[in-house]
Amino acid sequence: MTDLVERLLFLARGDSGTIKLQKETVDLNQLIKEIVRESKLVAPNHNLNYNVKGQINIIADKRLLKQMLRAIIDNSIKFTQEDGEISVSAEIAYDKVKIVISDTGIGIPPEEIDKIFDRFYRVDKVRSKTTGGSGLGLSIVKWIVETHNGNISVKSTVGKGTQVIILLPL
């Protein structure tokens, strides 16, 4: 319940404009390495890896970037079987940073992809009971990406996995 209230408050503050970004130069290589290392501790039976091409520094709110990446990786862990693969990659593509989080999980039906960023939306009510969650995590992720003037998209195949692509300005 506390988690749900905190997420609702976060979104309400975001909607009202009271969350102020604390932008700084963020070493994306180090941030991704740290998040993957922490996620391995939480999910030791999943194969988590990362690949960052070159040194990438980005001007962003480090705390919010970490929250964003952690939420996506947590979803990948929830919906990927043990021994499944979860990977995080990052590279500079023109004037943007492209971050891709891929997994070999259960996937998302094509007709559901446009709805997953809606508040309280859960793809499958049966999955909701077994995996928990409030349906707010991806709404928060989208808010963080958009607040950083970025874009987020999802590609998924049922039974094969999901890929979340985030583009952020350098």
Side-chain angles (χ1 to χ4, degrees):
M1 187 62 106
T2 302
D3 185 52
L4 175 62
V5 170
E6 286 176 11
R7 288 172 183 237
L8 285 169
L9 284 172
F10 180 91
L11 287 167
R13 288 184 193 114
D15 289 347
S16 68
T18 58
I19 295 178
K20 302 294 181 219
L21 297 184
Q22 298 174 5
K23 289 190 174 183
E24 61 183 291
T25 301
V26 177
D27 180 340
L28 195 58
N29 305 58
Q30 188 62 36
L31 183 65
I32 289 173
K33 181 179 178 181
E34 178 183 327
I35 291 169
V36 169
R37 187 181 69 241
E38 291 169 358
S39 297
K40 284 180 178 182
L41 294 173
V42 174
N45 297 325
H46 288 79
N47 298 309
L48 284 109
N49 58 69
Y50 65 94
N51 180 21
V52 180
K53 295 178 181 155
Q55 179 60 42
I56 302 175
N57 293 313
I58 183 172
I59 305 297
D61 186 310
K62 183 178 181 178
R63 179 183 53 86
L64 291 178
L65 278 188
K66 191 171 189 175
Q67 182 178 354
M68 172 194 77
L69 290 170
R70 201 176 260 140
I72 296 168
I73 292 170
D74 285 350
N75 273 359
S76 289
I77 291 168
K78 276 185 203 176
F79 298 111
T80 300
Q81 67 285 357
E82 289 189 358
D83 292 327
E85 301 269 338
I86 300 166
S87 65
V88 182
S89 66
E91 64 184 337
I92 296 175
Y94 303 104
D95 61 341
K96 300 204 180 295
V97 174
K98 180 180 180 182
I99 303 169
V100 180
I101 299 99
S102 302
D103 66 51
T104 57
I106 61 176
I108 304 166
E111 66 275 7
E112 305 284 342
I113 290 176
D114 289 342
K115 303 172 192 168
I116 63 172
F117 295 105
D118 295 347
R119 292 177 189 181
F120 300 109
Y121 188 77
R122 303 297 304 264
V123 170
D124 181 334
K125 303 309 176 214
V126 174
R127 284 196 276 193
S128 300
K129 290 178 183 173
T130 58
T131 58
S134 62
L136 293 173
L138 290 178
S139 296
I140 291 171
V141 165
K142 184 177 181 186
W143 182 88
I144 292 169
V145 170
E146 290 178 348
T147 301
H148 282 86
N149 298 314
N151 297 324
I152 186 167
S153 61
V154 175
K155 296 178 183 175
S156 190
T157 304
V158 174
K160 295 201 176 191
T162 300
Q163 188 178 65
V164 178
I165 302 110
I166 299 164
L167 294 172
L168 297 172
L170 286 168

